[in-house]
Amino acid sequence: MIRLLPGAGKHVTLIPNEWSVGKLVTMTTTHAAEAPPPHAPDGLQEHFDATIARDQRIEPRDWMPDGYRKTLIRQIAQHAHSEIIGMQPEGEWITRAPSLRRKAILFAKVQDEAGHGLYLYSAAETLGADRDDLTRRLIEGRQKYSSIFNYPTLSFADVGVIGWFVDGAAICNQVPLCRSSYGPYARAMVRICKEESFHQRQGYELLMTMMRGTAAQREMVQDAVNRWWWPSLMMFGPPDDASPNSARSMAWKIKRHSNDELRRRFVDMTVPQAEKLGVTLPDPELRWNEETGHHDFGTPDWDELMRVIKGDGPCNDRRMERRRTAHEEGAWVREAATAHAAKQAARARKGAAA
Ligand code: BYC
């Protein structure tokens, strides 16, 4: 089957592959998994390369190499799953927030994360992925989500530190993704980053309030900082020399900076904030380096990151169990929405025929 697609000013033919937009064949078929890499019809690869070289965007209807599509689906799906699982650690504090104001703020933040997950699943769908399939892959442990959400939230100070560190790290990582070469992903990131920046400030404001409080509150903040610092540095992924995907993703301009560059940017951004707050970052090697114009810092425990990614972190089982239960308990909502959409479509058809 050949489809005609509007290319840059001219019509080009596309030989569909398993990822083609319009879900000609979905991700789950055996055929798709076994299909040989599709051959790019004349000129399309060159057109794609030139678009990337000019820093222009690839859009869903454009031809793209199979590897580019797969890489994007992998990254966007992992990102979407992280947003949804990321609702859990903070969500546990909604009923225990110390005031109505803090409860309302936390509620709104957790709800925003759900929204981020939905934009991202929608972006993945523009690549031909199927959201149900992605969710199944997560639930069956075949797709990843961020390591950071496998750590427990032991006190209300953790809510502030997640906002400050985790959302701060998310901003460092995701602002450059607003310039990612794939249009729908880049556009989703614009709104997500605006909200993340609000989240980071609410976390920092909460911590400033606690630091002005009692000695016990200040201790809670320092304890949360000690527990979240290293896992936050791990959010940026393995070091560059152990990151199998970075080089390819950067050549395609999906990622704009390497894992280590972004990690360093995060450290540089966070150190003065820690000083202002009056907390100590738990790294004896942390110091300003006049020559490089950046901070030197210690090495995260990469074995720990690998263990957590593989499912052996402090809360992996709990997070996945909760996600599975929520998915099963939400089945009636999906069925009701599908029935409602079918009814609406039937009504629209009837109206059009009348
Ligand atoms: N945790 O070659 P690499 C958020 C995996 S949401 C788990 O460097 P890549 C927020 C990686 O997937 C946070 N897995 O990979 C939400 C790869 O495995 P596969 C999520 C990790 O893709 C709610 C393998 O290790 N943010 O911020 O070039 C509230 C090798 O790594 C991790 C995003 O998803 C990890 N930490 O770079 C608040 C942002 N690190 O897939 C905040 C978008 C690596 O080959 N994603 N892996 O089996 C990215 O920027 C990149 O995907 C990463 C990894 C930097 C994360």
Side-chain angles (χ1 to χ4, degrees), residues 211-233:
M211 291 301 285
R212 284 195 299 266
T214 62
Q217 284 176 308
R218 282 191 288 279
E219 256 170 53
M220 275 165 73
V221 174
Q222 184 61 57
D223 173 60
V225 165
N226 294 347
R227 284 181 289 105
W228 287 92
W229 175 248
W230 292 107
S232 299
L233 293 190

Side-chain angles (χ1 to χ4, degrees), residues 61-348:
R61 284 160 168 246
D62 294 338
W63 181 89
M64 60 189 84
D66 207 39
Y68 178 81
R69 194 184 294 274
K70 281 182 179 159
T71 296
L72 276 166
I73 292 176
R74 177 185 66 77
Q75 177 166 324
I76 297 173
Q78 180 193 307
H79 194 164
H81 299 328
S82 305
E83 298 282 357
I84 300 297
I85 301 248
M87 295 164 73
Q88 292 186 37
E90 290 174 288
E92 287 175 1
W93 280 93
I94 291 175
T95 54
R96 293 177 288 167
S99 68
L100 186 57
R101 177 168 172 267
R102 293 289 172 198
K103 198 188 284 279
I105 292 171
L106 188 53
F107 222 143
K109 177 180 191 275
V110 171
Q111 202 170 327
D112 283 351
E113 314 298 356
H116 298 174
L118 300 188
Y119 313 149
L120 288 162
Y121 283 124
S122 299
E125 285 183 325
T126 67
L127 290 155
D130 178 74
R131 186 170 147 193
D132 272 349
D133 180 48
L134 297 179
T135 305
R136 209 168 36 250
R137 283 167 186 251
L138 170 70
I139 283 173
E140 290 170 3
R142 289 185 290 137
Q143 270 181 351
K144 300 184 167 79
Y145 61 94
S146 182
S147 52
I148 192 74
F149 301 116
N150 292 307
Y151 292 85
T153 38
L154 303 181
S155 79
F156 197 67
D158 289 36
V159 169
V161 171
I162 289 179
W164 178 31
F165 283 171
V166 178
D167 290 277
I171 291 166
C172 279
N173 171 268
Q174 293 170 24
V175 165
L177 292 174
C178 298
R179 293 190 300 114
S180 176
S181 58
Y182 186 58
Y185 189 32
R187 287 189 288 274
M189 291 321 301
V190 173
R191 179 159 174 188
I192 291 178
C193 284
K194 285 185 184 164
E195 292 179 353
E196 297 293 18
S197 137
F198 186 64
H199 294 171
Q200 190 208 17
R201 276 177 251 178
Q202 73 78 32
Y204 197 73
E205 188 270 338
L206 165 56
L207 296 178
M208 285 202 304
T209 306
M210 290 186 79
M211 291 301 285
R212 284 195 299 266
T214 62
Q217 284 176 308
R218 282 191 288 279
E219 256 170 53
M220 275 165 73
V221 174
Q222 184 61 57
D223 173 60
V225 165
N226 294 347
R227 284 181 289 105
W228 287 92
W229 175 248
W230 292 107
S232 299
L233 293 190
M234 293 175 199
M235 279 178 75
F236 295 92
D240 291 353
D241 56 11
S243 162
N245 301 300
S246 277
R248 196 58 268 179
S249 287
M250 285 171 72
W252 276 327
K253 297 185 183 169
I254 293 172
K255 278 168 79 163
R256 293 287 183 156
H257 303 281
S258 77
N259 299 355
D260 287 336
E261 278 167 13
L262 294 173
R263 197 173 355 257
R264 189 173 67 175
R265 191 176 287 188
F266 172 72
V267 172
D268 285 343
M269 177 183 97
T270 309
V271 169
Q273 295 169 351
E275 279 163 13
K276 181 125 185 79
L277 197 58
V279 294
T280 309
L281 297 174
D283 179 357
E285 293 175 49
L286 187 64
R287 63 182 57 86
W288 177 250
N289 182 328
E290 203 64 58
E291 258 168 53
T292 60
H294 295 283
H295 290 86
D296 291 335
F297 54 96
T299 308
D301 180 346
W302 298 125
D303 292 340
E304 176 179 324
L305 173 65
M306 287 309 139
R307 276 198 308 278
V308 176
I309 291 180
K310 286 192 182 130
D312 194 17
C315 300
N316 294 60
D317 291 346
R318 199 159 104 203
R319 301 290 183 243
M320 286 307 291
E321 180 53 35
R322 183 79 201 96
R323 182 69 195 88
R324 264 185 224 111
T325 310
H327 188 64
E328 282 158 21
E329 289 177 354
W332 70 271
V333 179
R334 293 189 294 279
E335 281 159 25
T338 308
H340 180 66
K343 264 190 200 165
Q344 275 194 321
R347 262 189 227 125

Side-chain angles (χ1 to χ4, degrees), residues 29-48:
T29 61
T30 340
H31 168 75
E34 287 165 7
H39 171 69
D42 281 351
L44 291 183
Q45 178 73 52
E46 289 75 8
H47 179 71
F48 172 86

